[in-house]
Amino acid sequence: MAAVTPFGERLGLVLEGGAMRGIYTAGVLDVFMEEGILADVVVGVSAGALHGCSYVSGQKGRSIRFYRNYRRDKHFMGLYSLLTTGELVGSKFCYEEIPMRLDPFDEKAFEAAPMDFYVTVTNLYTGKAEYILCDELRLDSKMKVIRAGASMPLCSRPVAWNGGLYLDGGVADSIPYAKMPDFGCRRSIVVLTQPEHYLKKPVAMAPFRMAYRRYPAFIEAMHRRDQVYNTEVCAVEQAALNGEAFLIRPSRAVPISRMERDIEVIDTQYELGRRDAAAAMPALRRWLAD
């Protein structure tokens, strides 16, 4: 049963990224699918987009399953992939082998779903976020968009799409809650992957200035990322207090690296997402009914 919102308004769902930390979101979304919480518009950032597409296609358990099965495969991520492909995460393995053969993505269900699915990407030329509607995720088409949105700076090659050059959407807009009214959503559920009181700190800029010296706007976006992120968190927290957003985020911090391989750590993060979503469900249903 789908979630019902008053006055026929569109319900938004915003999914923060965070590399392997994002498996928390997969846990939340699996509970949403079990409970029939279905948004009208889903906007995913980086790992949020990777897990969000399985939510749209209705494939409960798929995200945690492929981490359990393939996290130690040398083609998945790590030094072997970096040395052989120039990317820390193996694009061919993750965006072709897994979704097409090893753990098939349900493209038909995705295209038939009554949801709009947007992937957030950062344009290297402008340094600005773009929100690309993905009405399909076929291999030689908009699968490139989701790959671009999850391509971490310094770890991945930029992805070309429709004349642009793109990387991780989290550089320019990690939490695109402010964009949701443009998609017709007065209220949105927001899933963060950092616990309360977390503040993003500035990063050392020297590697980015060297790697992206041809893209000054992108460097500037990277330089401002911590300020933008912290401002966005404050805005979402205020919106939650006002009843305009419903916020779900980790109830405790789990030490997990961006390239975590320990299945116990990964499972702990995933199960935390499930527990937090289940605990929030009564309040979420009341919020949806208001």
PDB file of all heavy atoms in Angstrom, residues 251-273:
ATOM      1  N   SER A 251      21.024   6.880  14.433  1.00  0.00           N
ATOM      2  CA  SER A 251      20.829   7.165  15.854  1.00  0.00           C
ATOM      3  C   SER A 251      22.134   7.066  16.626  1.00  0.00           C
ATOM      4  O   SER A 251      22.215   7.500  17.785  1.00  0.00           O
ATOM      5  CB  SER A 251      19.801   6.200  16.440  1.00  0.00           C
ATOM      6  OG  SER A 251      20.174   4.847  16.187  1.00  0.00           O
ATOM      7  N   ARG A 252      23.149   6.506  16.008  1.00  0.00           N
ATOM      8  CA  ARG A 252      24.486   6.470  16.607  1.00  0.00           C
ATOM      9  C   ARG A 252      25.510   6.399  15.482  1.00  0.00           C
ATOM     10  O   ARG A 252      25.182   6.046  14.343  1.00  0.00           O
ATOM     11  CB  ARG A 252      24.646   5.280  17.553  1.00  0.00           C
ATOM     12  CG  ARG A 252      24.581   3.920  16.879  1.00  0.00           C
ATOM     13  CD  ARG A 252      24.682   2.811  17.905  1.00  0.00           C
ATOM     14  NE  ARG A 252      24.652   1.494  17.286  1.00  0.00           N
ATOM     15  CZ  ARG A 252      25.730   0.841  16.869  1.00  0.00           C
ATOM     16  NH1 ARG A 252      26.945   1.403  16.966  1.00  0.00           N
ATOM     17  NH2 ARG A 252      25.625  -0.364  16.344  1.00  0.00           N
ATOM     18  N   ALA A 253      26.727   6.738  15.803  1.00  0.00           N
ATOM     19  CA  ALA A 253      27.798   6.700  14.812  1.00  0.00           C
ATOM     20  C   ALA A 253      28.374   5.292  14.730  1.00  0.00           C
ATOM     21  O   ALA A 253      28.631   4.657  15.757  1.00  0.00           O
ATOM     22  CB  ALA A 253      28.886   7.697  15.171  1.00  0.00           C
ATOM     23  N   VAL A 254      28.553   4.804  13.509  1.00  0.00           N
ATOM     24  CA  VAL A 254      29.212   3.520  13.270  1.00  0.00           C
ATOM     25  C   VAL A 254      30.508   3.804  12.518  1.00  0.00           C
ATOM     26  O   VAL A 254      30.464   4.347  11.409  1.00  0.00           O
ATOM     27  CB  VAL A 254      28.325   2.577  12.440  1.00  0.00           C
ATOM     28  CG1 VAL A 254      29.086   1.308  12.073  1.00  0.00           C
ATOM     29  CG2 VAL A 254      27.050   2.229  13.198  1.00  0.00           C
ATOM     30  N   PRO A 255      31.667   3.490  13.101  1.00  0.00           N
ATOM     31  CA  PRO A 255      32.922   3.716  12.371  1.00  0.00           C
ATOM     32  C   PRO A 255      32.972   2.837  11.117  1.00  0.00           C
ATOM     33  O   PRO A 255      33.050   1.615  11.200  1.00  0.00           O
ATOM     34  CB  PRO A 255      33.997   3.295  13.381  1.00  0.00           C
ATOM     35  CG  PRO A 255      33.326   3.342  14.715  1.00  0.00           C
ATOM     36  CD  PRO A 255      31.897   2.967  14.454  1.00  0.00           C
ATOM     37  N   ILE A 256      32.884   3.467   9.962  1.00  0.00           N
ATOM     38  CA  ILE A 256      32.877   2.735   8.696  1.00  0.00           C
ATOM     39  C   ILE A 256      33.636   3.560   7.671  1.00  0.00           C
ATOM     40  O   ILE A 256      33.401   4.764   7.519  1.00  0.00           O
ATOM     41  CB  ILE A 256      31.428   2.438   8.234  1.00  0.00           C
ATOM     42  CG1 ILE A 256      31.408   1.622   6.941  1.00  0.00           C
ATOM     43  CG2 ILE A 256      30.603   3.709   8.090  1.00  0.00           C
ATOM     44  CD1 ILE A 256      30.035   1.073   6.583  1.00  0.00           C
ATOM     45  N   SER A 257      34.567   2.925   6.982  1.00  0.00           N
ATOM     46  CA  SER A 257      35.387   3.650   6.020  1.00  0.00           C
ATOM     47  C   SER A 257      34.640   3.792   4.700  1.00  0.00           C
ATOM     48  O   SER A 257      33.675   3.078   4.424  1.00  0.00           O
ATOM     49  CB  SER A 257      36.714   2.915   5.784  1.00  0.00           C
ATOM     50  OG  SER A 257      36.494   1.713   5.071  1.00  0.00           O
ATOM     51  N   ARG A 258      35.105   4.712   3.859  1.00  0.00           N
ATOM     52  CA  ARG A 258      34.453   4.948   2.573  1.00  0.00           C
ATOM     53  C   ARG A 258      34.548   3.729   1.665  1.00  0.00           C
ATOM     54  O   ARG A 258      33.714   3.549   0.777  1.00  0.00           O
ATOM     55  CB  ARG A 258      35.075   6.170   1.883  1.00  0.00           C
ATOM     56  CG  ARG A 258      34.868   7.466   2.630  1.00  0.00           C
ATOM     57  CD  ARG A 258      35.443   8.646   1.876  1.00  0.00           C
ATOM     58  NE  ARG A 258      34.705   8.940   0.672  1.00  0.00           N
ATOM     59  CZ  ARG A 258      33.568   9.631   0.625  1.00  0.00           C
ATOM     60  NH1 ARG A 258      33.030  10.079   1.750  1.00  0.00           N
ATOM     61  NH2 ARG A 258      32.968   9.867  -0.518  1.00  0.00           N
ATOM     62  N   MET A 259      35.552   2.881   1.885  1.00  0.00           N
ATOM     63  CA  MET A 259      35.743   1.676   1.083  1.00  0.00           C
ATOM     64  C   MET A 259      35.713   0.427   1.958  1.00  0.00           C
ATOM     65  O   MET A 259      36.461  -0.520   1.749  1.00  0.00           O
ATOM     66  CB  MET A 259      37.073   1.756   0.319  1.00  0.00           C
ATOM     67  CG  MET A 259      37.109   2.853  -0.717  1.00  0.00           C
ATOM     68  SD  MET A 259      35.978   2.490  -2.084  1.00  0.00           S
ATOM     69  CE  MET A 259      35.842   4.117  -2.827  1.00  0.00           C
ATOM     70  N   GLU A 260      34.827   0.414   2.929  1.00  0.00           N
ATOM     71  CA  GLU A 260      34.749  -0.664   3.910  1.00  0.00           C
ATOM     72  C   GLU A 260      34.539  -2.033   3.250  1.00  0.00           C
ATOM     73  O   GLU A 260      33.717  -2.184   2.342  1.00  0.00           O
ATOM     74  CB  GLU A 260      33.587  -0.400   4.871  1.00  0.00           C
ATOM     75  CG  GLU A 260      33.508  -1.356   6.040  1.00  0.00           C
ATOM     76  CD  GLU A 260      34.708  -1.249   6.960  1.00  0.00           C
ATOM     77  OE1 GLU A 260      34.906  -0.166   7.554  1.00  0.00           O
ATOM     78  OE2 GLU A 260      35.443  -2.259   7.067  1.00  0.00           O
ATOM     79  N   ARG A 261      35.272  -3.046   3.735  1.00  0.00           N
ATOM     80  CA  ARG A 261      35.116  -4.405   3.234  1.00  0.00           C
ATOM     81  C   ARG A 261      34.662  -5.381   4.319  1.00  0.00           C
ATOM     82  O   ARG A 261      34.227  -6.496   4.003  1.00  0.00           O
ATOM     83  CB  ARG A 261      36.436  -4.909   2.635  1.00  0.00           C
ATOM     84  CG  ARG A 261      36.839  -4.223   1.339  1.00  0.00           C
ATOM     85  CD  ARG A 261      38.184  -4.735   0.880  1.00  0.00           C
ATOM     86  NE  ARG A 261      38.622  -4.100  -0.354  1.00  0.00           N
ATOM     87  CZ  ARG A 261      38.385  -4.575  -1.568  1.00  0.00           C
ATOM     88  NH1 ARG A 261      37.695  -5.688  -1.706  1.00  0.00           N
ATOM     89  NH2 ARG A 261      38.837  -3.952  -2.637  1.00  0.00           N
ATOM     90  N   ASP A 262      34.788  -4.993   5.580  1.00  0.00           N
ATOM     91  CA  ASP A 262      34.414  -5.864   6.688  1.00  0.00           C
ATOM     92  C   ASP A 262      32.895  -6.032   6.711  1.00  0.00           C
ATOM     93  O   ASP A 262      32.156  -5.075   6.968  1.00  0.00           O
ATOM     94  CB  ASP A 262      34.909  -5.260   8.006  1.00  0.00           C
ATOM     95  CG  ASP A 262      34.735  -6.204   9.188  1.00  0.00           C
ATOM     96  OD1 ASP A 262      33.759  -6.995   9.191  1.00  0.00           O
ATOM     97  OD2 ASP A 262      35.548  -6.132  10.120  1.00  0.00           O
ATOM     98  N   ILE A 263      32.421  -7.248   6.467  1.00  0.00           N
ATOM     99  CA  ILE A 263      30.980  -7.462   6.361  1.00  0.00           C
ATOM    100  C   ILE A 263      30.267  -7.220   7.686  1.00  0.00           C
ATOM    101  O   ILE A 263      29.086  -6.823   7.703  1.00  0.00           O
ATOM    102  CB  ILE A 263      30.673  -8.885   5.825  1.00  0.00           C
ATOM    103  CG1 ILE A 263      29.198  -8.985   5.422  1.00  0.00           C
ATOM    104  CG2 ILE A 263      31.056  -9.936   6.847  1.00  0.00           C
ATOM    105  CD1 ILE A 263      28.737  -7.971   4.412  1.00  0.00           C
ATOM    106  N   GLU A 264      30.939  -7.421   8.808  1.00  0.00           N
ATOM    107  CA  GLU A 264      30.297  -7.151  10.090  1.00  0.00           C
ATOM    108  C   GLU A 264      30.015  -5.664  10.251  1.00  0.00           C
ATOM    109  O   GLU A 264      28.958  -5.274  10.747  1.00  0.00           O
ATOM    110  CB  GLU A 264      31.176  -7.657  11.243  1.00  0.00           C
ATOM    111  CG  GLU A 264      31.259  -9.178  11.315  1.00  0.00           C
ATOM    112  CD  GLU A 264      31.987  -9.648  12.561  1.00  0.00           C
ATOM    113  OE1 GLU A 264      32.327  -8.795  13.420  1.00  0.00           O
ATOM    114  OE2 GLU A 264      32.228 -10.861  12.665  1.00  0.00           O
ATOM    115  N   VAL A 265      30.940  -4.835   9.809  1.00  0.00           N
ATOM    116  CA  VAL A 265      30.742  -3.380   9.874  1.00  0.00           C
ATOM    117  C   VAL A 265      29.636  -2.955   8.906  1.00  0.00           C
ATOM    118  O   VAL A 265      28.761  -2.162   9.254  1.00  0.00           O
ATOM    119  CB  VAL A 265      32.060  -2.637   9.559  1.00  0.00           C
ATOM    120  CG1 VAL A 265      31.826  -1.127   9.527  1.00  0.00           C
ATOM    121  CG2 VAL A 265      33.127  -2.986  10.590  1.00  0.00           C
ATOM    122  N   ILE A 266      29.674  -3.505   7.700  1.00  0.00           N
ATOM    123  CA  ILE A 266      28.651  -3.169   6.695  1.00  0.00           C
ATOM    124  C   ILE A 266      27.271  -3.583   7.183  1.00  0.00           C
ATOM    125  O   ILE A 266      26.302  -2.818   7.090  1.00  0.00           O
ATOM    126  CB  ILE A 266      28.989  -3.839   5.347  1.00  0.00           C
ATOM    127  CG1 ILE A 266      30.295  -3.262   4.773  1.00  0.00           C
ATOM    128  CG2 ILE A 266      27.852  -3.668   4.353  1.00  0.00           C
ATOM    129  CD1 ILE A 266      30.836  -4.025   3.584  1.00  0.00           C
ATOM    130  N   ASP A 267      27.169  -4.799   7.715  1.00  0.00           N
ATOM    131  CA  ASP A 267      25.884  -5.278   8.222  1.00  0.00           C
ATOM    132  C   ASP A 267      25.394  -4.435   9.397  1.00  0.00           C
ATOM    133  O   ASP A 267      24.192  -4.186   9.528  1.00  0.00           O
ATOM    134  CB  ASP A 267      25.991  -6.738   8.648  1.00  0.00           C
ATOM    135  CG  ASP A 267      25.832  -7.711   7.487  1.00  0.00           C
ATOM    136  OD1 ASP A 267      25.317  -7.290   6.432  1.00  0.00           O
ATOM    137  OD2 ASP A 267      26.212  -8.885   7.639  1.00  0.00           O
ATOM    138  N   THR A 268      26.316  -4.010  10.236  1.00  0.00           N
ATOM    139  CA  THR A 268      25.934  -3.166  11.380  1.00  0.00           C
ATOM    140  C   THR A 268      25.311  -1.859  10.909  1.00  0.00           C
ATOM    141  O   THR A 268      24.281  -1.413  11.428  1.00  0.00           O
ATOM    142  CB  THR A 268      27.156  -2.866  12.262  1.00  0.00           C
ATOM    143  OG1 THR A 268      27.640  -4.098  12.828  1.00  0.00           O
ATOM    144  CG2 THR A 268      26.804  -1.908  13.396  1.00  0.00           C
ATOM    145  N   GLN A 269      25.910  -1.249   9.888  1.00  0.00           N
ATOM    146  CA  GLN A 269      25.380   0.006   9.342  1.00  0.00           C
ATOM    147  C   GLN A 269      24.019  -0.215   8.686  1.00  0.00           C
ATOM    148  O   GLN A 269      23.086   0.591   8.853  1.00  0.00           O
ATOM    149  CB  GLN A 269      26.377   0.587   8.333  1.00  0.00           C
ATOM    150  CG  GLN A 269      25.987   1.929   7.740  1.00  0.00           C
ATOM    151  CD  GLN A 269      26.269   3.111   8.640  1.00  0.00           C
ATOM    152  OE1 GLN A 269      26.406   2.968   9.856  1.00  0.00           O
ATOM    153  NE2 GLN A 269      26.346   4.293   8.068  1.00  0.00           N
ATOM    154  N   TYR A 270      23.894  -1.303   7.945  1.00  0.00           N
ATOM    155  CA  TYR A 270      22.629  -1.634   7.277  1.00  0.00           C
ATOM    156  C   TYR A 270      21.531  -1.888   8.316  1.00  0.00           C
ATOM    157  O   TYR A 270      20.413  -1.363   8.195  1.00  0.00           O
ATOM    158  CB  TYR A 270      22.827  -2.867   6.403  1.00  0.00           C
ATOM    159  CG  TYR A 270      21.547  -3.448   5.846  1.00  0.00           C
ATOM    160  CD1 TYR A 270      20.882  -2.849   4.779  1.00  0.00           C
ATOM    161  CD2 TYR A 270      21.001  -4.614   6.394  1.00  0.00           C
ATOM    162  CE1 TYR A 270      19.705  -3.385   4.274  1.00  0.00           C
ATOM    163  CE2 TYR A 270      19.830  -5.155   5.900  1.00  0.00           C
ATOM    164  CZ  TYR A 270      19.181  -4.547   4.842  1.00  0.00           C
ATOM    165  OH  TYR A 270      18.010  -5.088   4.350  1.00  0.00           O
ATOM    166  N   GLU A 271      21.833  -2.687   9.319  1.00  0.00           N
ATOM    167  CA  GLU A 271      20.835  -3.012  10.338  1.00  0.00           C
ATOM    168  C   GLU A 271      20.442  -1.782  11.148  1.00  0.00           C
ATOM    169  O   GLU A 271      19.299  -1.665  11.601  1.00  0.00           O
ATOM    170  CB  GLU A 271      21.342  -4.124  11.253  1.00  0.00           C
ATOM    171  CG  GLU A 271      21.470  -5.480  10.576  1.00  0.00           C
ATOM    172  CD  GLU A 271      20.134  -6.023  10.069  1.00  0.00           C
ATOM    173  OE1 GLU A 271      19.081  -5.633  10.618  1.00  0.00           O
ATOM    174  OE2 GLU A 271      20.155  -6.834   9.129  1.00  0.00           O
ATOM    175  N   LEU A 272      21.390  -0.860  11.345  1.00  0.00           N
ATOM    176  CA  LEU A 272      21.057   0.389  12.021  1.00  0.00           C
ATOM    177  C   LEU A 272      20.013   1.157  11.218  1.00  0.00           C
ATOM    178  O   LEU A 272      19.059   1.712  11.784  1.00  0.00           O
ATOM    179  CB  LEU A 272      22.314   1.237  12.211  1.00  0.00           C
ATOM    180  CG  LEU A 272      22.113   2.586  12.921  1.00  0.00           C
ATOM    181  CD1 LEU A 272      21.624   2.385  14.355  1.00  0.00           C
ATOM    182  CD2 LEU A 272      23.421   3.389  12.914  1.00  0.00           C
ATOM    183  N   GLY A 273      20.176   1.194   9.897  1.00  0.00           N
ATOM    184  CA  GLY A 273      19.183   1.838   9.044  1.00  0.00           C
ATOM    185  C   GLY A 273      17.822   1.186   9.181  1.00  0.00           C
ATOM    186  O   GLY A 273      16.795   1.874   9.267  1.00  0.00           O
TER     187      GLY A 273
END
